[in-house]
Amino acid sequence: MSGDLASRHSYDETPHTSRSEMVESAEGGAVQIVEKQVQRRIFKIIVIGDSNVGKTCLTYRFCLGKFPDKTEATIGVDFREKAVHVDGEHLKLQLWDTAGQERFRKSMVQHYYRNVHAVVFVYDMTKMSSFENMPQWIEECDRHNLNKSIPRILVGNKCDAVDRVAVNTNLAQKFADSHNMPLFETSAKDDEKANHVDAIFMTVAHKLKNSKPMMPPHLADFVPGEVPRNVEYISLRGSPHHRGLQTAARGQCGEKSDCGC
Amino acid sequence: MSDEEPSSDFDQEHSEGAGDQPENARISLQEQEYSPKVNGRLQRQHRVFYQRKAKKIEQILSKDPVDIAELRQQSISRGGLLTDDLRRRAWPILLNVNVKNITPKPEAAVLQGHRDYRQVVLDVERSLRRFPPGMEEQHRLSLQDSLVDVIMRVLVKHPELYYYQGFHDICVTFLLVVDEDMAFALVEKLSLGHLRDYMEATMERTTQVLNYLQPLLKKANPELYDYLEGAELGNIFCLSWIITWFGHVLNDIKSILRIYDFFIACHALMPIYLTAAVVLYREKEIFETEQEMPFLHALLSKVPDNLPFEQLLSNAGDLYILYPPVELANEALKRFRRAQAQAAARKQLALQKNAQRKSILPDGNVTFAKVTWWMLGAVASVAVYALYSSMDWDWSSWISHGS
Ligand SMILES: Nc1nc2c(ncn2[C@@H]2O[C@H](COP(=O)(O)OP(=O)(O)O)[C@@H](O)[C@H]2O)c(=O)[nH]1
Ligand SMILES: [Mg+2]
């Protein structure tokens, strides 16, 4: 069985190039394929967290540029995609938006954990329980063979609901620190934060672009020196939303080595 | 739909000319496009056909006792039960609901005290898309309240049933046609029957059901199967089709109701056969899509609203006769075991890697050969099988394939 495992699922983690370019239309979220001879690296990012924390809205905001007017419970796994430009290179980010209900993640989602290049953990800032469940999600992630060296970030969503905030930033920061992840507090809903949401995913994109060793997570025995550090914010400097990010990310990177940043 | 005055007049509710129906959905009833002249004639023929069918269903329903096999046949065959009025009368009979003895609603506190209450409310609040766009907000809100209650009533009455995201999509479909009590009674029956496998504490049996898809595709179209397997597509793309009976993925309520008529009267695995029919129908698009999981997942996970559903239901029925569940069971079980073993191996790898992290332990023992509900219910399947074979009209092509 394990031979089967090795051959069929060869953990081809290296970002592959695509022959055709996907263009996503904002209207229906329908995906159209436009044949264009482009070579671009594709990175797969999985977005996880409790039900109702706003995973669907966040990925929608990033990929389709707006807050969806009617969201629905995600059943199984949804796929959204966005082409991005990072330091002169065209990349493609595939966002895998997962169902939050526990029953789905136990058995169904594992297929989608495979070949993942980065993980975005999301909790709802107005809901303590969604934050308290984070360790479970992280453990789940570890259990699916994801090496700790792949970029992970923690996102507190719904920061627009100022008067309902239940998860203290310091607390979240401590937690993020202890897991060597940067923390971002943001809002998928607030139009003024749209740039911020973009910047968060772009941060991941930068990290992915620059972290050279795209090794299979289960094979890549992490060597601290190999992963470039502190590279991800550089090209965000000077952009309008840069400050928020900087503040949010302050103190995460550089101390511990296995955060991949 | 449900905010309209109930009408038994087929012309009003479901005629080709119904104003709120998009062009392509209307055409799709006819399966093919013809010249306007031929089209006009066909439309007339359809109308006459549906009017006759409605009369026939009326006749069946007016008898006492109702001939259930006949009613099933109508529910399965072209057009299904046609109108909401006929559905209101036929569904309880098809699902063997005792309309005079519906368990009364428990106190609100009991419903709200259930373990799944919170999740149910979250999902119902996000179910706006399932209500007709023109519906008044007050009406919609009260229906949403009813929806929570319908779901909770089933769960409270049957503690062995677990809520899954998507169950609300099933319940809302019924609530758009019948009142709360009846919706509860119908959905309760389904929960103990057709949907039982999806309502376990874990998704294990749901996975087993999903594992019927690939063996079916393999038999029906080996090249297509190879292409999808080569991409490691998996079967989550159709998870919501199966567990919501397509309610979650289609926009046109008329198509959804038609499909529900079909599923209610068929074997519990029929959603797999319809899924296969949809995938097979999209063969060309699939082959034109890059053989990579994300692209195929993106292509397939959305079901176009303008598919010729009548044709696809008929195709699903053909597939069922050609490759009945028993012929797929072995292969499906093998698949399931292989996936289990792979998951275990992967977990083992992770364990070795994280040996120092004591918090990570594998889940308890895995029982491989659990028999699913509908395997036990093989007797019921024989009944439906016999029903197919007894049909002579429009589905005659199936008989020749029957074994
Ligand atoms: N106030 C506020 N509400 C949000 C935000 N993002 C999502 N929501 C709401 O939270 C609910 C759940 O969002 P959804 O994306 O479906 O959550 P998911 O289950 O994690 O995918 C929906 O009702 C959204 O409208 C946000 O940034 N601010
Ligand atoms: Mg979601």
Side-chain angles (χ1 to χ4, degrees):
Chain A
M1 227 12 114
S2 51
D4 188 24
L5 183 73
S7 58
R8 290 279 304 135
H9 308 291
S10 55
Y11 292 96
D12 172 23
E13 311 289 338
T14 36
H16 39 270
T17 51
S18 69
R19 288 183 301 281
S20 60
E21 183 172 22
M22 301 277 282
V23 175
E24 193 141 5
S25 81
E27 290 87 330
V31 177
Q32 254 190 323
I33 298 175
V34 178
E35 279 297 331
K36 247 194 207 173
Q37 295 299 316
V38 283
Q39 295 284 317
R40 77 173 33 167
R41 293 197 288 163
I42 301 176
F43 293 98
K44 181 172 166 184
I45 301 171
I46 193 164
V47 182
I48 54 189
D50 273 12
S51 189
N52 213 57
V53 298
K55 299 179 295 296
T56 300
C57 291
L58 279 170
T59 54
Y60 197 96
R61 166 68 85 182
F62 177 64
C63 295
L64 294 131
K66 59 179 184 179
F67 187 70
D69 31 85
K70 290 178 192 171
T71 55
E72 282 188 284
T74 308
I75 298 175
V77 184
D78 270 345
F79 166 84
R80 287 183 195 87
E81 186 174 60
K82 181 161 173 158
V84 298
H85 206 130
V86 179
D87 291 343
E89 184 181 350
H90 289 280
L91 304 177
K92 204 177 297 171
L93 301 186
Q94 292 176 343
L95 300 188
W96 291 85
D97 173 22
T98 60
Q101 201 188 3
E102 181 167 338
R103 54 191 297 113
F104 288 115
R105 69 179 203 238
K106 278 271 149 57
S107 56
M108 318 299 290
V109 176
Q110 27 174 291
H111 188 75
Y112 298 87
Y113 270 109
R114 259 191 260 149
N115 309 346
V116 149
H117 298 109
V119 187
V120 176
F121 295 100
V122 186
Y123 66 92
D124 177 347
M125 290 175 66
T126 68
K127 190 150 207 181
M128 196 56 184
S129 59
S130 73
F131 177 72
E132 287 168 348
N133 282 338
M134 271 299 126
Q136 278 187 47
W137 286 109
I138 292 171
E139 182 187 315
E140 182 99 346
C141 200
D142 291 338
R143 219 194 288 183
H144 285 95
N145 229 358
L146 296 189
N147 191 287
K148 284 200 94 193
S149 68
I150 73 168
R152 302 163 175 227
I153 64 169
L154 182 64
V155 174
N157 188 34
K158 309 196 188 180
C159 76
D160 57 288
V162 186
D163 47 340
R164 289 191 287 126
V165 166
V167 182
N168 178 286
T169 303
N170 285 335
L171 183 68
Q173 188 67 74
K174 275 207 191 92
F175 177 78
D177 286 349
S178 71
H179 286 89
N180 305 306
M181 294 189 277
L183 167 75
F184 303 97
E185 292 182 338
T186 194
S187 163
K189 188 176 184 180
D190 187 352
D191 283 331
E192 295 189 356
K193 283 274 195 277
N195 284 337
H196 191 244
V197 173
D198 282 358
I200 291 171
F201 285 104
M202 289 306 284
T203 303
V204 178
H206 276 254
K207 205 175 278 191
L208 289 172
K209 177 181 183 287
N210 292 324
S211 60
K212 178 194 65 178
M214 268 304 159
M215 277 192 285
H218 73 287
L219 296 176
D221 266 335
F222 183 75
V223 186
E226 271 191 11
V227 178
R229 296 191 206 170
N230 299 327
V231 288
E232 66 278 29
Y233 301 118
I234 294 166
S235 62
L236 289 174
R237 288 232 162 97
S239 65
H241 46 262
H242 145 65
R243 190 118 55 97
L245 265 182
Q246 272 290 84
T247 329
R250 190 171 5 96
Q252 305 339 298
C253 302
E255 282 173 32
K256 301 267 171 60
S257 52
D258 63 345
C259 67
C261 52
Chain B
M1 296 284 318
S2 66
D3 58 343
E4 292 168 14
E5 202 53 57
S7 156
S8 60
D9 182 359
F10 177 78
D11 273 355
Q12 261 183 29
E13 213 174 332
H14 291 235
S15 74
E16 322 292 70
D20 58 336
Q21 228 176 341
E23 188 70 22
N24 47 11
R26 262 180 279 149
I27 298 284
S28 71
L29 275 174
Q30 304 169 0
E31 294 156 25
Q32 247 176 313
E33 288 184 54
Y34 301 97
S35 71
K37 191 162 163 233
V38 177
N39 227 343
R41 203 181 67 229
L42 272 174
Q43 279 190 11
R44 258 194 316 284
Q45 278 177 7
H46 275 108
R47 194 154 51 236
V48 171
F49 165 75
Y50 285 132
Q51 275 165 351
R52 275 200 201 143
K53 186 173 185 196
K55 250 196 211 117
K56 171 81 182 157
I57 298 174
E58 287 280 357
Q59 266 173 18
I60 295 172
L61 287 171
S62 64
K63 278 190 214 142
D64 188 21
V66 171
D67 183 335
I68 294 183
E70 264 191 63
L71 190 58
R72 267 191 173 173
Q73 182 173 335
Q74 295 299 331
S75 194
I76 288 171
S77 63
R78 178 192 293 253
L81 296 170
L82 302 175
T83 70
D84 288 355
D85 177 55
L86 290 173
R87 289 188 176 106
R88 274 187 279 272
R89 290 151 65 198
W91 280 349
I93 297 170
L94 288 171
L95 288 172
N96 195 22
V97 166
N98 183 350
V99 295
K100 297 212 179 69
N101 187 20
I102 294 176
T103 313
K105 175 149 72 170
E107 308 248 316
V110 175
L111 299 183
Q112 292 168 13
H114 189 274
R115 59 168 186 256
D116 289 325
Y117 179 73
R118 231 181 39 80
Q119 182 73 58
V120 170
V121 170
L122 289 179
D123 292 347
V124 169
E125 275 175 359
R126 288 183 288 177
S127 65
L128 299 190
R129 195 186 61 80
R130 295 301 314 277
F131 297 90
M135 186 180 275
E136 270 192 38
E137 193 180 358
Q138 258 345 80
H139 187 199
R140 195 203 70 224
L141 286 172
S142 83
L143 275 180
Q144 282 184 295
D145 285 342
S146 297
L147 179 54
V148 172
D149 289 351
V150 166
I151 298 169
M152 295 321 301
R153 282 169 76 172
V154 174
L155 298 174
V156 163
K157 186 168 173 197
H158 301 281
E160 75 278 16
L161 299 181
Y162 287 76
Y163 174 73
Y164 63 87
Q165 287 186 313
F167 185 60
H168 67 298
D169 277 302
I170 299 263
C171 296
V172 73
T173 310
F174 286 96
L175 204 51
L176 289 173
V177 177
V178 301
D179 66 24
E180 183 188 316
D181 274 349
M182 185 54 78
F184 156 70
L186 294 170
V187 170
E188 181 192 13
K189 287 284 183 183
L190 283 179
S191 306
L192 299 169
H194 288 67
L195 306 176
R196 185 68 184 83
D197 281 336
Y198 315 141
M199 304 197 71
E200 294 283 307
T202 71
M203 297 282 283
E204 192 174 318
R205 290 190 185 189
T206 306
T207 314
Q208 290 181 350
V209 171
L210 289 175
N211 276 326
Y212 273 69
L213 179 65
Q214 273 84 3
L216 178 55
L217 290 174
K218 188 175 180 179
K219 284 184 189 277
N221 187 336
E223 291 86 40
L224 190 68
Y225 164 85
D226 284 341
Y227 195 77
L228 298 176
E229 285 291 280
E232 294 189 29
L233 174 64
N235 45 26
I236 304 296
F237 76 91
C238 66
L239 172 68
S240 71
W241 309 5
I242 306 282
I243 66 180
T244 73
W245 281 9
F246 289 75
H248 187 78
V249 280
L250 296 179
N251 291 310
D252 180 19
I253 183 70
K254 292 186 178 75
S255 306
I256 295 174
L257 290 171
R258 167 66 191 105
I259 290 172
Y260 274 48
D261 290 339
F262 183 77
F263 285 160
I264 283 174
C266 286
H267 188 282
L269 273 182
M270 196 51 96
I272 289 286
Y273 288 84
L274 182 58
T275 297
V278 171
V279 173
L280 293 168
Y281 181 81
R282 303 188 72 188
E283 172 180 3
K284 188 158 170 283
E285 287 168 276
I286 291 172
F287 282 130
E288 284 167 3
T289 303
E290 214 177 323
Q291 198 186 12
E292 298 275 356
M293 189 267 267
F295 303 129
L296 288 167
H297 180 100
L299 172 78
L300 286 173
S301 59
K302 308 220 165 43
V303 183
D305 262 311
N306 60 357
L307 294 181
F309 285 106
E310 275 309 333
Q311 182 61 50
L312 293 174
L313 292 178
S314 171
N315 294 352
D318 287 347
L319 288 170
Y320 181 89
I321 297 297
L322 280 169
Y323 316 110
V326 284
E327 284 187 23
L328 307 173
N330 258 339
E331 186 74 12
L333 195 61
K334 256 193 246 161
R335 249 189 114 76
F336 178 69
R337 288 182 180 161
R338 195 163 58 223
Q340 290 272 25
Q342 281 172 1
R346 210 174 297 126
K347 224 174 251 178
Q348 195 56 41
L349 263 173
L351 270 177
Q352 287 162 6
K353 262 197 66 56
N354 298 297
Q356 71 277 26
R357 301 162 57 91
K358 59 179 184 301
S359 60
I360 301 160
L361 290 168
D363 296 334
N365 285 343
V366 185
T367 324
F368 283 154
K370 267 197 192 161
V371 179
T372 61
W373 171 82
W374 38 264
M375 279 170 147
L376 293 173
V379 181
S381 91
V382 171
V384 178
Y385 199 58
L387 171 67
Y388 281 141
S389 316
S390 75
M391 283 188 287
D392 55 343
W393 172 86
D394 202 359
W395 303 76
S396 49
S397 58
W398 294 14
I399 299 170
S400 52
H401 301 311
S403 50

